[in-house]
Amino acid sequence: MTETATIERLKDIIADELDARIDRADIALDTPLFEGGLGLDSVVLVELISLVEQAFDIRFSDDELLPESFRSVRVLADVIEAKAAS
Amino acid sequence: MDSTWIAPRAGADAVLADGDQVLPHAQLRAGFAEFDRRFGAAGVVAGDGLVLAVVNSLATAWTLLYLLERGYDTVLLPSAAADDPVARPAFCRWLLTPRTTDDPVTPETAVRIAPNPQYWPGSALEAGAPRLMLRTSGSTGAPKLVAHTHRALRSNALRCVERFALTSADRAALPVPIHHMFGLGAGLLPAVVAGASVDLQQDANLLRFIARERAFDPSIAFMTPAFATTLLATRRGTRPYRLTVTAGDRFQADRLARYEAAFGAVIQLYGSTEQGAVAAAAAELPLPVRCRTVGSAMAGVELRVAAPVGEVGALSCRRDDGFMGYLDLQGRRLPSGHDAAGWWPTNDFARLDPSGHLEVLGRSDHSVNRDGLLVFFAEVERVIETLDSVASVAVTAEREEGPRGRRLIACCVAAADADPSPARIRAHCFDRLPPRAVPDEIHLIERLPLLANGKIDRLRLQAIYRGNTPGDDP
């Protein structure tokens, strides 16, 4: 999967699969996922983690559940790709 | 009893922290003299009321402790409300805004002191013992303030110290807001008077909580059951705490047990903005008792259930150092709701077991009369929750009447990889509940809508299931 494909898939998840009423057009690569950006709350975050794990067939360990990794779509896509490659 | 909030004998290592900065208790105490100079220079005098805009930050907590230490009448507002002119009490001369920059917090930078533009000199609090006021929205809209004397807050805090067995060796994680009674009265203030360390977390989510956990190494945590459930759903490893205190809602029994297996002992606390901590379990109680109940009454609190022991009835409480009453934004006293003997109706239904442990079944408006008897939504929810195929459930009632009274609706979220049928869920209820408590309809929904405070949004719930096809209409 190319980076673009990862990013596109992530945007699909956030816009279409998360129960958070987020418009795809509002998701820029560097939009923060939490406050001051998409405003994902704790419950939606749990859902996001689980959807990402399913979609990319990965599993985050506790050590990988870092706020930095979920800063934006771009950063999260990098994390997912690094993890899938390892 | 020590009259100061930050004990001089606090453990030498005790700190307040907020993710940006860490300050020892001793330094916080020493800074009060500089706060005196700043407040004096700004023109603040004894007897002035102050509004403090609250975020979970070191700057806020330091300012708050100063105001308590010096006996100022203080209104705590969440920072968003403090920005709203309509929400500001007219009897407060000053508006205090904690600093939000990344500069180091010092007494000089901790808080901005400005005149409250909504101050109206004709409004005033009755003179009296210093008060701390928290906002409550109430069920009918008009915001009002709940007034506590500083003394009562302190006795509430000391009782929490005792119940939680807090010591100066404890390190408390506070992902709950300190403008609410739970975060303030059960979390921050007890930890401070115990000389324990506190980590204040603003905009907490599970990632930030885990990150702060690594940095701060907490031994005790305060959170809502909804937040605990997000940790349970996402964390892979175990990380035992000495204690986790939950409040704000009921912690589903099997989740509490699973949480405890991974993260250490859990106790449920029951309280309110008005009454502070009313009851809380002790960690030594057996797990089944801690799952089912909120333990026994705090010292100085009496509980009364309008029913024989073991039966459900309306819960009232009475405390030796209760809240003073409600105030409107002009500082006028509103009725407190206490009866002549000092009992205060909680608007919750509950049951006391023979050992005095309190089981809270939910708000009195979370029940409905069917077949001439009350059915508690919580009781039905508990029965449905015992099904492995159901992850979570919320029960509500329609306005319209069925044969037994208002129609009872259960909205269920299926457990992962499970496919529960509404018919099977109803059959399960029939086996375990009297007919009046069996829901008329079962709906399977994607997820339960939650309010910002983590409680179930029952109004939105109705909108959601009305949009669905009825699952099993009898």
Side-chain angles (χ1 to χ4, degrees):
Chain A
M1 208 180 249
T2 66
E3 172 165 314
T4 322
T6 306
I7 286 171
E8 291 303 310
R9 182 75 190 93
L10 262 181
K11 286 186 174 182
D12 289 344
I13 291 175
I14 293 169
D16 305 333
E17 296 173 40
L18 273 192
D19 186 19
R21 297 192 196 116
I22 291 166
D23 195 340
R24 206 171 199 287
D26 293 338
I27 314 172
L29 280 185
D30 296 309
T31 311
L33 297 185
F34 307 115
E35 298 81 21
L38 300 179
L40 302 189
D41 69 9
S42 223
V43 174
V44 176
L45 174 59
V46 172
E47 203 185 341
L48 175 65
I49 291 170
S50 142
L51 288 170
V52 164
E53 289 183 334
Q54 280 170 36
F56 298 98
D57 196 21
I58 53 175
R59 206 163 154 77
F60 294 109
S61 70
D62 279 6
D63 288 342
E64 291 165 331
L65 291 172
L66 302 167
E68 305 87 271
S69 305
F70 289 78
R71 204 166 56 224
S72 67
V73 168
R74 188 199 299 275
V75 172
L76 182 54
D78 287 346
V79 170
I80 291 168
E81 286 177 4
K83 202 163 161 51
S86 64
Chain B
M1 196 203 300
D2 208 327
S3 66
T4 58
W5 288 83
I6 302 182
R9 55 177 159 63
D13 303 329
V15 297
L16 274 191
D18 68 0
D20 285 337
Q21 206 177 336
V22 178
L23 282 180
H25 283 202
Q27 198 173 331
L28 300 175
R29 262 178 76 79
F32 289 160
E34 186 54 35
F35 270 96
D36 282 338
R37 274 191 290 281
R38 281 202 63 214
F39 276 60
V44 181
V45 295
D48 281 352
L50 303 101
V51 183
L52 177 61
V54 177
V55 289
N56 275 27
S57 72
L58 183 55
T60 305
W62 199 354
T63 307
L64 171 60
L65 291 169
Y66 170 73
L67 296 170
L68 290 171
E69 198 78 44
R70 295 294 186 258
Y72 281 107
D73 283 319
T74 303
V75 176
L76 301 188
L77 291 183
S79 61
D83 286 343
D84 177 5
V86 178
R88 292 182 198 142
F91 60 85
C92 290
R93 268 189 74 187
W94 304 98
L95 183 58
L96 305 180
T97 315
R99 82 93 176 84
T100 48
T101 63
D102 292 333
D103 308 328
V105 183
T106 66
E108 290 78 22
T109 63
V111 66
R112 187 160 61 85
I113 308 168
N116 172 14
Q118 274 63 48
Y119 175 61
W120 179 57
S123 67
L125 279 182
E126 294 167 35
R131 284 144 288 194
L132 186 111
M133 289 150 275
L134 299 171
R135 195 170 71 139
T136 178
S137 50
S139 49
T140 50
K144 52 187 179 178
L145 301 172
V146 176
H148 294 269
T149 62
H150 292 192
R151 208 185 88 100
L153 270 184
R154 196 180 155 76
S155 87
N156 180 71
L158 290 168
R159 287 158 182 175
C160 290
V161 170
E162 188 193 339
R163 186 60 54 95
F164 308 155
L166 279 172
T167 71
S168 59
D170 274 310
R171 302 176 66 79
L174 269 191
V176 288
I178 57 170
H179 58 77
H180 280 165
M181 193 43 120
F182 178 35
L184 177 76
L188 175 65
L189 296 179
V192 168
V193 297
S197 294
V198 181
D199 186 36
L200 296 151
Q201 302 179 14
Q202 177 68 19
D203 299 322
N205 63 36
L206 71 106
L207 299 177
R208 295 197 182 115
F209 183 83
I210 295 171
R212 295 296 311 145
E213 183 184 83
R214 285 194 197 100
F216 185 77
D217 193 24
S219 60
I220 175 167
F222 296 81
M223 64 183 75
T224 61
F227 193 83
T229 302
T230 67
L231 294 175
L232 194 56
T234 314
R235 300 188 78 165
R236 315 296 184 217
T238 62
R239 197 290 190 187
Y241 281 69
R242 180 178 78 72
L243 190 66
T244 296
V245 183
T246 69
D249 213 342
R250 191 171 56 92
F251 203 161
Q252 199 178 306
D254 68 313
R255 284 187 192 157
L256 188 154
R258 281 191 291 132
Y259 183 95
E260 176 154 320
F263 309 116
V266 179
I267 59 173
Q268 301 191 74
L269 175 137
Y270 171 73
S272 63
T273 310
E274 289 85 352
Q275 299 295 336
V278 170
E284 299 73 41
L285 285 174
L287 177 62
V289 178
R290 282 182 289 111
C291 283
R292 186 173 52 84
T293 76
V294 294
S296 54
M298 306 296 284
V301 177
E302 295 170 86
L303 301 173
R304 189 177 69 184
V305 170
V309 170
E311 311 252 330
V312 177
L315 173 67
S316 303
C317 68
R318 180 163 74 172
R319 64 187 307 159
D320 53 5
D321 229 347
F323 80 113
M324 304 174 69
Y326 298 105
L327 302 169
D328 67 13
L329 296 182
Q330 277 67 48
R332 289 180 296 235
R333 257 186 125 122
L334 305 169
S336 72
H338 290 100
D339 73 10
W343 290 96
W344 188 80
T346 63
N347 288 326
D348 283 319
F349 279 106
R351 157 158 69 204
L352 275 170
D353 73 14
S355 323
H357 299 133
L358 182 70
E359 184 179 356
V360 179
L361 287 121
R363 288 163 45 129
S364 47
D365 52 0
H366 291 174
S367 64
V368 65
N369 207 316
R370 295 184 20 122
D371 287 359
L373 291 166
L374 279 176
V375 172
F376 300 96
F377 298 168
E379 213 147 24
V380 182
E381 288 164 1
R382 281 180 201 192
V383 164
I384 297 178
E385 279 163 5
T386 60
L387 281 166
D388 289 338
S389 57
V390 174
S392 50
V393 53
V395 170
T396 181
E398 286 281 15
R399 285 271 149 233
E400 90 197 53
E401 301 264 330
R404 299 183 184 280
R406 287 173 56 193
R407 292 169 57 75
L408 205 56
I409 318 287
C411 295
C412 303
V413 178
D417 306 323
D419 186 17
S421 84
R424 209 162 320 135
I425 296 172
R426 277 195 95 224
H428 178 79
C429 293
F430 269 115
D431 290 344
R432 289 163 183 81
L433 289 166
R436 67 172 185 281
V438 175
D440 296 296
E441 289 175 26
I442 308 279
H443 293 274
L444 289 170
I445 62 174
E446 289 274 310
R447 56 186 292 185
L448 297 178
L450 298 179
L451 297 164
N453 61 12
K455 297 185 187 186
I456 292 167
D457 184 344
R458 287 176 197 268
L459 282 178
R460 231 183 102 202
L461 187 65
Q462 301 195 348
I464 289 173
Y465 73 71
R466 284 196 190 114
N468 291 0
T469 348
D472 193 23
D473 218 345

